[in-house]
Amino acid sequence: MAEAFERLQKIQAEDVADLCLGSVFLATGGGGDPYVNQLLTEAALRSHGPVALVAASALPDAAWVLPLGEVGAPTVSLEQLPVGDEPLVALARYESATGRRVTHLIPFEVGGANSVLPLVAAAARGLPVVDGDGMGRALPEAQMMTFAIAGVPPTPAVAVDYLGNTVTFDTANVDDYERQVRHLAIAMGGMIFTAEHGMVGAHARGCVVPDTLSFAVGLGRLLRQRRGPAKDLLPELEALFASSSYGILRHLYTGKVVDIDRRVQGGFDIGEATLAPLRGPGEPLTIAIRNEYLLASCNDRVLASVPDLIVVVDSETATPINAERLAYGQRVSVLGIGCPGHYRSEPALRVVGPRCFGFDCDYVPIEDLPAGPG
Amino acid sequence: MTLRIGIDVGGTHTDAVLLDGERVRTSVKAATTADIESGVIDALQRLLAADRFDAQNVRAVMIGTTQFTNAVVERRELTPSAIVRIALPTGRLVPPKVDWPGDLAAALGDHVFMIHGGRLYDGRPLAPARDDEADAVIDAIAARELTCVAVASVFAPADAEPEHAFAERLQQRLPHVRVVRSCEFGRIGLLERENAALLNAALLPFADRVIDGFERALAARGLDCPLYISQNDGTLMDTAAARRFPALTFASGPTNSLRGAGLLTGERHAVVVDIGGTTSDIGVLRDGFPRESNLGVAIAGVRTSFRMPDILTLGIGGGSLVGAEGGRIGPRSVGHRLLQTGRAFGGDTLTATDLAIAAGHLDLGDRHRLADLPSATVRRGLATIAARIDEAVDRMRSSREPVTVILVGGGTALLSEPLSSAARTLRPEHAAVANAIGAAHAEVGAEAERIVPVAERAIALDELERQARQRVAAAGARKDLIRINDVDETAVSYMAVPTVRLRVKAVGPLDLEALAHG
């Protein structure tokens, strides 16, 4: 099994399932189920052919890179299907509203359902997609994207709902934009599609989290081909992440879910999962949830925190488990992964650090934290 | 004396067991027949011949069957059926059956309809329903002379009114048409629920034939006790429910064999290898219950919303063809023709069973017919089987520690070599009929589910629990032993009004005393 991932030149229909599985892993519990988007993407790639991937570092200065994706409730998307052409409609409306010709598309996040959506529009329009994204994981809000952190203005932006209604945004800052777009999603069925944070290639080169689409395909392939106990897969996962901009992957805990306390607050799933050792005494692990898994601790000793990635997998199959599917009695393994360097700067930590999610602690990189309980 | 009979109607064999309380009194094996009924009659006849019990003393008969799964897998006995999805304008480019295997989609005919309507997450209409659209669909169903229809609307688990309205309109005009509503399959997840409803619709006429056959078989042997059918999660449904919901039996085979293996050995943690005629199913017992899959489970390539055991299936069974001088086993199998086409039985096809007979592990057929079989082929063939099962056990076990492996099913003789993944390998008595034993020990269960604002959560949970308990009691469980075995709560995130999805499942052992009087 390869220890490094392969940087792909293109994404083909056969890669999409692996891309989605890898994306669910990187989504750290959030991001939503990608299955319907997987179907749409596979169909688009089969009828239009593969989509070219362009390394962020190879973007021409004058390229116009457009992030494209959906905003809303992951749980809703389990039930309410997209029309299917929203990414294309959003792209077309963006171009007509701004008068710009878009040259490259890119996902908001390589997390769950959003990682494949730009491929649908890219395939139909013959556009390349940047091999990267704006998070390297999933996070809930627009200001948390590396594009926003690097100062790319969110607007002009367009949003398209399931009825084909279009809203154009022109806001003073990303916080206002996030508030407005969130309320539009709530008003229009819980899920909308947006095109936002458009930027020139020269700017994108500096703020895209690179290679994440190729990485997700490689990760998904490993998880599919080597489905089995998480502990057995650990050496290969460690090697794979070491070869990437994440750097470190570390096993934090294996146990069973003994309690899930989950409530909805301010438009988010807020909660806490408690894990206990499979047998015998030992310290419990708690994971704080706000859509994503944000903070893992043992008796108030933090083992990993946002923006580092906390991933929960089925300990018997190494299949990642979304927060909404975490259930009492499941046997799970918890992995901690270093976040890409883009999130480790002072300005980045001001919008994605633990305090942004209400935790009373500062970010400490996972490699500086204790490696496990006791 | 509380006698009951468990029957497993598999693709190849029909097994029956007679239980007195928890004790297995007698077990028999018969061949599954094309009409199913005569195979069940034969099995019951053998049971009577072997045990001479009084049919009047039998309190209940439980049948587990893979007939409905096999029908879907083999694309037979399926009735062309319409699917009506009420969700436009959403889902236009993700139509029903979009991800189905082509031949299965074709077996149900090209009868896909999409109309406007359904609900949003907040209960508002997704789009106004249009009577003209509904009538055009009903016209088409009439013109194509379809008799089975599935209807699915968005957010039906929260508000099924659009499905009810369409079903009512359809049945007013076409009273003979049977309609399956997706809300009857509970869960959030439109594609999976719609798939379940459509497969179920296509199986309705076959379900009537199968259940009729079961009932005639019981009557033919003087059994007039209640008949129950095993569901995916190891619980039972009555025959009226089984006629309406044949799709709820899809995973009952593996579930019954896992539970049966646990009951026969008393083991609560083990890997169970069920070696049948065509396949070997490898599953895991955890705390005495089948380990369920965390992912959506596909049936014959179709995603469904059913909760099912996590099963790894190998194309290795008693009827598997042997190739490459023992280097290749299966996946092709002679299936139920083993006793005609296997070499030891006078045929000319070398099967896995022939290898076990030649090696002396199995006393069946005529071993002398295999005299010219090179011993190297026998050794290599059996080693190939053991290596592939070993690898599968290794993939399914929970840790690198060697595990307890329980061998069940009719083909356990195929595995004679020790497994490196196993600390010990158990071959319990009655292993060949583990499925029938699992079926006989099944419980009854029922679910209730709803999406509610968080403010109404406590009241809703009470009400759902009461509903689930009532449904289980109505299905025949002992009232004093009904327990809530699962409460599932999922937040619908990002909503202006905090909202949760609640699901409560109640189960309980069958009330055999009440059956006796009822």
Side-chain angles (χ1 to χ4, degrees):
Chain A
M1 184 54 55
E3 291 192 351
F5 67 98
E6 181 193 355
R7 283 173 184 75
L8 304 174
Q9 304 301 310
K10 61 185 180 198
I11 297 270
Q12 314 182 65
E14 301 74 51
D15 300 322
V16 176
D18 288 335
L19 173 55
C20 288
L21 180 56
S23 298
V24 170
F25 189 98
L26 295 173
T28 67
D33 185 318
Y35 184 66
V36 172
N37 288 344
Q38 178 184 329
L39 291 180
L40 286 169
T41 310
E42 284 168 344
L45 296 184
R46 269 196 292 268
S47 62
H48 300 289
V51 166
L53 279 189
V54 175
S57 58
L59 283 169
D61 284 352
W64 192 259
V65 180
L66 182 66
L68 203 66
E70 56 187 31
V71 174
T75 322
V76 166
S77 61
L78 281 182
E79 182 68 25
Q80 182 180 311
L81 303 172
V83 176
D85 61 359
E86 288 94 337
L88 256 180
V89 174
L91 171 58
R93 305 265 168 91
Y94 178 88
E95 288 187 324
S96 63
T98 61
R100 283 193 183 276
R101 202 177 62 79
V102 173
T103 60
H104 297 75
L105 298 175
I106 187 169
F108 296 162
E109 55 186 353
V110 62
N114 259 341
S115 27
V116 291
L117 275 177
L119 296 169
V120 177
R125 286 277 300 272
L127 291 177
V129 165
V130 180
D131 189 358
D133 73 303
M135 291 185 167
R137 50 168 298 156
L139 283 170
E141 299 180 12
Q143 76 278 4
M144 298 173 177
M145 285 195 283
T146 55
F147 317 137
I149 292 165
V152 175
T155 62
V158 300
V160 180
D161 69 16
Y162 71 95
L163 291 169
N165 298 312
T166 307
V167 177
T168 308
F169 294 88
D170 187 1
T171 60
N173 61 59
V174 71
D175 296 320
D176 291 348
Y177 172 72
E178 165 60 29
R179 224 171 13 255
Q180 292 189 13
V181 82
R182 184 72 48 193
H183 278 84
L184 182 65
I186 288 168
M188 297 311 296
M191 185 63 73
I192 56 173
F193 291 74
T194 68
E196 57 181 59
H197 283 96
M199 59 198 141
V200 291
H203 209 160
R205 283 202 300 269
C207 64
V208 166
V209 183
D211 305 326
T212 50
L213 294 183
S214 287
F215 183 77
V217 172
L219 174 59
R221 190 161 295 156
L222 177 66
L223 294 171
R224 172 173 55 84
Q225 291 175 341
R226 296 293 314 279
R227 181 183 189 273
K231 278 192 168 154
D232 296 355
L233 194 56
L234 210 54
E236 281 152 286
L237 284 173
E238 283 166 354
L240 182 67
F241 278 85
S243 76
S244 73
S245 59
Y246 298 96
I248 178 175
L249 174 142
R250 176 187 274 184
H251 173 260
L252 298 179
Y253 199 87
T254 288
K256 60 188 169 193
V257 180
V258 293
D259 187 44
I260 286 255
D261 171 16
R262 214 169 3 203
R263 56 203 178 279
V264 183
Q265 208 171 297
F268 298 98
D269 291 358
I270 307 235
E272 198 170 81
T274 308
L275 276 53
L278 288 180
R279 52 187 75 81
E283 287 183 68
L285 180 87
T286 56
I287 304 175
I289 302 167
R290 179 166 161 131
N291 290 358
E292 281 82 30
Y293 306 118
L294 296 180
L295 192 111
S297 57
C298 266
N299 286 341
D300 297 329
R301 214 172 55 255
V302 174
L303 300 185
S305 84
V306 68
D308 285 341
L309 288 67
I310 297 164
V311 179
V312 177
V313 301
D314 182 331
S315 59
E316 284 146 357
T317 62
T319 306
I321 305 177
N322 277 350
E324 68 192 67
R325 296 191 196 271
L326 203 60
Y328 177 86
Q330 284 171 341
R331 266 66 169 170
V332 299
S333 295
V334 184
L335 310 174
I337 298 165
C339 67
H342 294 69
Y343 274 158
R344 296 191 170 201
S345 71
E346 266 309 307
L349 288 168
R350 275 200 292 276
V351 289
V352 297
R355 293 191 190 279
C356 306
F357 299 88
F359 301 111
D360 187 20
C361 63
D362 291 311
Y363 169 68
V364 179
I366 186 166
E367 57 269 28
D368 299 336
L369 287 168
Chain B
M1 193 161 54
T2 48
L3 293 182
R4 60 197 197 280
I5 293 173
I7 301 177
D8 172 58
V9 183
T12 316
H13 288 108
T14 296
D15 305 332
V17 295
L18 179 70
L19 287 109
D20 184 354
E22 302 297 298
R23 191 172 62 87
V24 179
R25 262 177 53 161
T26 312
S27 69
V28 298
K29 257 180 142 40
T32 295
T33 52
D35 70 344
I36 298 164
E37 178 181 344
S38 50
V40 175
I41 292 178
D42 184 23
L44 288 172
Q45 186 57 47
R46 286 166 191 250
L47 208 55
L48 278 162
D51 193 289
R52 308 213 157 277
F53 58 94
D54 183 351
Q56 297 298 319
N57 288 333
V58 177
R59 303 285 165 83
V61 175
M62 290 84 160
I63 300 185
T65 180
T66 54
Q67 285 296 322
F68 300 114
T69 318
N70 293 351
V72 176
V73 171
E74 296 165 20
R75 287 91 166 104
R76 61 176 170 80
E77 309 283 1
L78 299 172
T79 302
S81 302
I83 171 70
V84 183
R85 184 201 283 165
I86 309 176
L88 284 181
T90 62
R92 190 162 49 78
L93 298 179
V94 197
K97 298 202 281 186
V98 65
D99 57 341
W100 285 33
D103 56 345
L104 181 57
L108 269 60
D110 185 14
H111 308 297
V112 171
F113 302 96
M114 293 194 276
I115 60 179
H116 286 78
R119 292 283 182 265
L120 296 174
Y121 74 93
D122 52 12
R124 288 186 298 131
L126 184 142
R130 300 183 195 165
D131 289 346
D132 58 328
E133 279 185 347
D135 288 335
V137 172
I138 294 167
D139 287 342
I141 288 168
R144 299 178 196 185
E145 297 179 353
L146 298 173
T147 54
C148 299
V149 174
V151 56
S153 72
V154 188
F155 277 108
D159 181 0
E161 191 277 333
E163 291 184 0
H164 296 316
F166 179 83
E168 206 169 299
R169 198 176 185 87
L170 171 68
Q171 288 186 314
Q172 264 168 17
R173 282 219 10 232
L174 307 170
H176 64 285
V177 171
R178 299 180 68 179
V179 185
V180 178
R181 285 163 293 194
S182 86
C183 62
E184 295 169 306
F185 292 87
R187 277 145 204 274
I188 295 286
L190 177 63
L191 286 182
E192 290 85 354
R193 208 173 59 243
E194 166 184 278
N195 288 343
L198 179 53
L199 286 177
N200 192 78
L203 285 167
L204 287 173
F206 184 48
D208 277 336
R209 290 198 294 280
V210 170
I211 304 295
D212 284 347
F214 288 164
E215 289 179 338
R216 280 196 302 267
L218 263 57
R221 287 294 162 262
L223 294 158
D224 65 350
C225 57
L227 168 63
Y228 294 93
I229 308 296
S230 300
Q231 304 190 74
N232 296 327
D233 62 358
T235 60
L236 295 169
M237 56 183 163
D238 60 24
T239 53
R243 287 172 187 277
R244 289 180 60 206
F245 301 117
L248 295 183
T249 68
F250 280 160
S252 61
T255 302
N256 284 341
S257 91
L258 282 163
R259 290 173 47 89
L263 290 160
L264 286 172
T265 58
E267 295 291 326
R268 298 184 58 78
H269 302 277
V271 174
V272 177
V273 181
D274 182 348
I275 307 177
T278 302
T279 59
S280 294
D281 291 336
I282 294 98
V284 178
L285 270 180
R286 201 171 64 189
D287 296 323
F289 292 97
R291 183 177 94 199
E292 288 184 349
S293 173
N294 274 323
L295 298 172
V297 176
I299 293 293
V302 175
R303 275 169 67 111
T304 66
S305 48
F306 303 123
R307 254 197 325 212
M308 295 189 186
D310 188 12
I311 296 292
L312 180 64
T313 297
L314 295 180
I316 291 181
S320 293
L321 305 191
V322 178
E325 291 169 342
R328 195 177 62 244
I329 307 289
R332 288 186 55 211
S333 166
V334 297
H336 66 270
R337 288 174 289 112
L338 176 63
L339 297 186
Q340 292 89 56
T341 49
R343 285 270 298 272
F345 308 99
D348 54 9
T349 309
L350 185 62
T351 67
T353 297
D354 291 321
L355 300 181
I357 293 169
H361 301 315
L362 194 59
D363 187 16
L364 259 184
D366 182 358
R367 201 175 154 187
H368 300 297
R369 291 181 195 274
L370 301 166
D372 63 332
L373 191 59
S375 60
T377 299
V378 174
R379 270 200 310 275
R380 189 187 303 158
L382 293 174
T384 302
I385 292 170
R388 292 197 45 209
I389 290 177
D390 206 6
E391 188 191 322
V393 169
D394 182 53
R395 275 182 66 184
M396 293 298 281
R397 63 181 164 167
S398 311
S399 77
R400 234 181 298 214
E401 301 293 304
V403 286
T404 297
V405 171
I406 308 172
L407 296 182
V408 297
T412 55
L414 299 191
L415 189 63
S416 46
E417 307 187 9
L419 301 172
S420 65
S421 53
R424 57 194 183 128
T425 302
L426 307 178
R427 300 165 188 265
E429 196 189 354
H430 306 297
V433 294
N435 279 26
I437 290 167
H441 280 85
E443 299 187 305
V444 280
E447 280 187 1
E449 173 177 318
R450 194 180 305 162
I451 292 183
V452 297
V454 163
E456 298 164 26
R457 178 181 172 276
I459 300 167
L461 267 179
D462 280 352
E463 198 180 314
L464 289 172
E465 186 171 323
R466 200 162 45 241
Q467 248 177 41
R469 284 176 180 277
Q470 271 169 6
R471 287 178 188 171
V472 181
R478 269 185 66 174
K479 286 201 179 65
D480 56 325
L481 291 180
I482 293 174
R483 63 190 192 278
I484 300 297
N485 82 330
D486 194 18
V487 177
D488 183 41
E489 180 172 345
T490 305
V492 181
S493 47
Y494 299 98
M495 295 295 106
V497 181
T499 305
V500 288
R501 178 205 323 160
L502 302 172
R503 185 167 55 222
V504 176
K505 171 136 198 188
V507 297
L510 204 55
D511 189 343
L512 297 170
E513 296 307 318
L515 288 177
H517 309 120

